[in-house]
Amino acid sequence: MTTSHRYSKTRTTFGLWQLIQLAPALLVVVGLFGGALALALLQSLGFAPWFGINEFPNPNYFLALWSEPDFWRSLWLTLYYGLASTVVGLVISVPLALTFERRFRGSKTLLALTRLPLMIPYTVGIALALLMLGNGGILSRLAAGLGLITDPGEFPRVLQTHWGWGVIAVYVWKQVPFMTLALLAVLMGIGQGTREAARILGASQVQVFWRITLPQLMPGVVSASLICFAFNVGAFEAPFILGGGHPETLPVLAWRYFNDANYTYQLQGMAVIVSLILVSGSILVGYLAIVRRFERVRGKAP
Amino acid sequence: MTTQGLRRLSVGQRLFVLAVLAFTVGPFAPLLIQSFAFRWAWPDLMPSVWWFEQRQISPFPLAWDYVLSPTSQVLEATINTVGIGVAVMVVCLIICLPAARVLARGHFRGKRRLEFVFSLPLLVPEAAIGIALLMIFIGLGISGTYPGVIAVHLIPTVPYMLRMLTSVYQGLDAGYEDCGRVLGANEWQVLTRITLPLLLPGVLAGALFTFLVSTNLFLLTFFIGQGKIVTLPTLLFSQISGGAMGATAAGIALIASIPGLILLVLSDRLIREEAFALGIGDT
């Protein structure tokens, strides 16, 4: 979001009063959030005096973790869930936002209804997935009603597998409303003028979508997918309940290490967490860099 | 394509909206049925035995009888969820109002970097923060306490609240405040008589959204609450973590959806779409 420069174009100095006003928010973000990051990093490098361990800096927790093939399998699984849910969510949200951009009969009510999952906890979404997608679930019953299957075992296994469609369904269910809301906000900001001009000048619907709508939507697509991807790779409860067990996603793996009776495993758990932050962080930075470059090529950014 | 008035949807668009609704809202129908079921065998589309047919002869409370009984902890969890949500909302507002003012009105070097720092909690996986913070909170002795849970709920809510309030402040014309000062109002009067009433719609939207995020949080409550603080999402998690869904779990899932349903009706009037233009990509 750009700053409004309506009142003064001059830079005001950043004084003590400003700092005092920012202090509580900084305390939360730098103190709590930053503190947690710093502690995770220190601990994963062998700093845990409360366990009588102080071998900082000791890279062995990382080296031990990274040498296990299981860790890499978990990492791929985590990234797969994160990426697949984000992409599927976008594929649904972009046309949905475009459909709801202009009012039609009942559009307000229908839009509010599509927004329902945004308001409801993920755990409810997991409960719904168990109810709908299990082998004895509603979809399986409907398939039986249509005569497609005669035994619950014949229904394709959706939950507790490593393809993870159950996990992905829950994330998509919850994130489509969020993405749609963010995209609608962008669409309302840009208006329909450019698109209509292009239509009048003879561009086809497909051309308008790829050449105008999508580039204009990019800021919304980027921020919505960044937030959703970051959330999805931190997914815990959905893979925990709906996932296929071993290998597990990194957050679940970290939680298991953390709850192990052998407390030195906690340091290993912290190494899992730091690795997760490093990987997801570099993916997000890389993604932003690609977007920046893309915009520069198109001449949108300096 | 007309620019004004209502638009007609094509058949494809209608089917698409219907499919999305079936996906987002549809599963609640079987959830409701499940909460009243006693025996619901495959492949029946309706339960063969209902809960109210069995409740007289059952030696222990079934389905809604159990959900609404004190042993289920539903009441405790509801009070905790709403109480923590309100506390987080209030603390978050107090923290974010002054900060949003600085971010909206000030023009200083490094402001965009600061805004980026404030959005970082949205970009780092929650699980990572949760486990690391648990270590700190155990050290401070506030794990498993209300202050601990409220503090940890601030991490995902402050970035949203700051963004929403900053955009609200940017839309507020500082001229009104100057007018008040010129006419002799002191700073307190300016704040309570001019700034806050003008900010109210945006503040309300931000507050509702914060409440919503807090009541939906599972992971951070689960980690920091240490099982001592039960909220609706954690209670439901403990019911379904085995991977099975019974009538009790369905009932709790429905109760866990009630705050969201109420907010859905309210937010239709209060939450402005523009507030969601998150704009992290252009930082």
Side-chain angles (χ1 to χ4, degrees):
Chain A
M1 206 167 286
T2 50
T3 327
S4 119
H5 288 281
R6 272 157 71 197
Y7 309 114
S8 71
K9 294 220 182 244
T10 52
R11 288 233 145 112
T12 48
T13 48
F14 186 77
L16 186 65
W17 177 230
Q18 264 95 349
L19 190 66
I20 291 171
Q21 287 179 295
L22 284 173
L26 282 172
L27 183 72
V28 170
V29 173
V30 179
L32 277 180
F33 170 77
L37 289 187
L39 182 88
L41 188 63
L42 282 176
Q43 218 179 327
S44 64
L45 288 169
F47 177 80
W50 46 89
F51 297 142
I53 301 174
N54 192 354
E55 43 204 26
F56 183 85
N58 176 357
N60 286 340
Y61 298 99
F62 281 108
L63 297 178
L65 184 69
W66 292 346
S67 64
E68 280 175 43
D70 268 4
F71 166 78
W72 296 102
R73 268 185 232 128
S74 290
L75 179 64
W76 286 126
L77 191 68
T78 312
L79 294 180
Y80 163 71
Y81 283 147
L83 197 65
S85 330
T86 311
V87 171
V88 174
L90 275 178
V91 168
I92 299 176
S93 305
V94 170
L96 196 64
L98 287 170
T99 308
F100 279 108
E101 186 191 3
R102 274 177 297 164
R103 303 268 308 273
F104 53 89
R105 228 158 65 92
S107 61
K108 273 201 89 162
T109 319
L110 292 179
L111 182 62
L113 278 177
T114 60
R115 203 178 287 167
L116 185 66
L118 181 67
M119 312 283 173
I120 287 175
Y122 272 92
T123 31
V124 174
I126 297 168
L128 292 176
L130 286 173
L131 194 61
M132 297 298 292
L133 305 173
N135 280 53
I138 303 297
L139 290 188
S140 156
R141 287 158 198 247
L142 287 175
L146 293 172
L148 297 173
I149 58 173
T150 51
D151 184 87
E154 290 171 38
F155 190 72
R157 222 172 140 75
V158 181
L159 306 180
Q160 278 107 32
T161 68
H162 284 302
W163 286 104
W165 284 107
V167 177
I168 293 168
V170 173
Y171 285 113
V172 170
W173 177 82
K174 177 82 180 176
Q175 285 163 2
V176 159
F178 177 80
M179 287 179 159
T180 308
L181 210 56
L183 294 175
L184 262 179
V186 177
L187 281 175
M188 283 173 181
I190 56 185
Q192 293 157 23
T194 345
R195 276 172 284 162
E196 274 171 12
R199 287 287 286 160
I200 290 166
L201 292 172
S204 71
Q205 295 243 7
V206 178
Q207 281 176 320
V208 170
F209 177 78
W210 288 107
R211 302 271 182 94
I212 297 171
T213 316
L214 204 58
Q216 283 184 332
L217 260 181
M218 268 326 256
V221 170
V222 170
S223 57
S225 51
L226 277 175
I227 291 178
C228 289
F229 178 79
F231 190 92
N232 293 341
V233 295
F236 175 84
E237 62 267 41
F240 186 89
I241 298 176
L242 303 174
H246 186 87
E248 314 196 72
T249 62
L250 289 182
V252 181
L253 185 68
W255 179 245
R256 298 235 191 266
Y257 275 131
F258 193 79
N259 278 340
D260 202 284
N262 180 354
Y263 58 74
T264 50
Y265 273 124
Q266 287 200 359
L267 305 178
Q268 194 92 340
M270 287 295 177
V272 174
I273 283 169
V274 174
S275 309
L276 175 65
I277 295 174
L278 287 178
V279 171
S280 75
S282 30
I283 288 176
L284 295 182
V285 168
Y287 178 57
L288 274 181
I290 290 171
V291 170
R292 235 11 93 62
R293 199 188 162 90
F294 176 74
E295 287 189 339
R296 218 167 292 142
V297 169
R298 300 187 66 93
K300 270 182 71 183
Chain B
M1 299 231 284
T2 50
T3 47
Q4 36 186 236
L6 297 177
R7 177 170 69 123
R8 288 182 67 84
L9 292 187
S10 67
V11 179
Q13 280 174 315
R14 269 183 225 181
L15 287 177
F16 177 60
V17 171
L18 268 181
V20 171
L21 283 176
F23 175 58
T24 53
V25 188
F28 281 93
L31 187 68
L32 193 65
I33 296 171
Q34 171 79 77
S35 75
F36 287 101
F38 178 75
R39 185 171 299 124
W40 194 8
W42 195 89
D44 301 342
L45 287 174
M46 277 291 158
S48 50
V49 183
W50 295 87
W51 146 73
F52 36 82
E53 296 169 334
Q54 288 290 319
R55 60 188 298 201
Q56 299 304 336
I57 44 174
S58 161
F60 44 84
L62 292 174
W64 283 103
D65 284 330
Y66 175 79
V67 171
L68 299 176
S69 76
T71 35
S72 69
Q73 285 187 298
V74 165
L75 184 67
E76 184 193 342
T78 310
I79 294 172
N80 277 346
T81 308
V82 173
I84 292 171
V86 170
V88 169
M89 181 174 90
V90 171
V91 176
C92 200
L93 261 181
I94 295 172
I95 288 176
C96 292
L97 270 173
R101 206 171 107 114
V102 174
L103 288 178
R105 296 269 171 85
H107 305 288
F108 47 86
R109 188 186 282 273
K111 187 172 119 172
R112 305 198 69 180
R113 242 167 286 153
L114 189 64
E115 283 176 335
F116 184 67
V117 168
F118 278 129
S119 60
L120 270 182
L122 298 180
L123 301 178
V124 174
E126 237 174 58
I129 303 306
I131 296 181
L133 264 184
L134 180 55
M135 290 306 303
I136 299 182
F137 280 19
I138 289 174
L140 295 173
I142 54 170
S143 66
T145 66
Y146 288 103
V149 171
I150 291 167
V152 78
H153 278 207
L154 290 176
I155 293 177
T157 51
V158 161
Y160 283 117
M161 183 73 113
L162 257 186
R163 261 170 199 285
M164 290 175 93
L165 289 184
T166 306
S167 76
V168 170
Y169 258 114
Q170 277 165 352
L172 170 77
D173 194 333
Y176 290 118
E177 294 173 335
D178 290 339
C179 248
R181 282 190 203 103
V182 168
L183 293 172
N186 61 33
E187 282 302 312
W188 175 249
Q189 285 172 320
V190 168
L191 182 71
T192 54
R193 301 276 180 88
I194 300 172
T195 316
L196 287 183
L198 281 173
L199 287 179
L200 195 65
V203 168
L204 217 53
L208 275 183
F209 193 71
T210 305
F211 179 76
L212 179 75
V213 172
S214 163
T215 52
N216 278 351
L217 275 182
F218 161 75
L219 195 62
L220 293 174
T221 321
F222 180 65
F223 285 176
I224 303 297
Q226 295 258 282
K228 287 179 199 132
I229 293 183
V230 182
T231 62
L232 287 171
T234 61
L235 184 67
L236 182 58
F237 178 82
S238 62
Q239 284 278 333
I240 61 173
S241 58
M245 269 286 289
T248 316
I252 293 174
L254 283 171
I255 289 184
S257 310
I258 291 175
L261 279 173
I262 295 172
L263 279 179
L264 184 70
V265 176
L266 286 179
S267 73
D268 209 32
R269 290 156 218 277
L270 293 173
I271 291 189
R272 293 160 54 214
E273 257 86 21
E274 303 91 274
F276 277 89
L278 293 160
I280 283 175
D282 54 40
T283 310

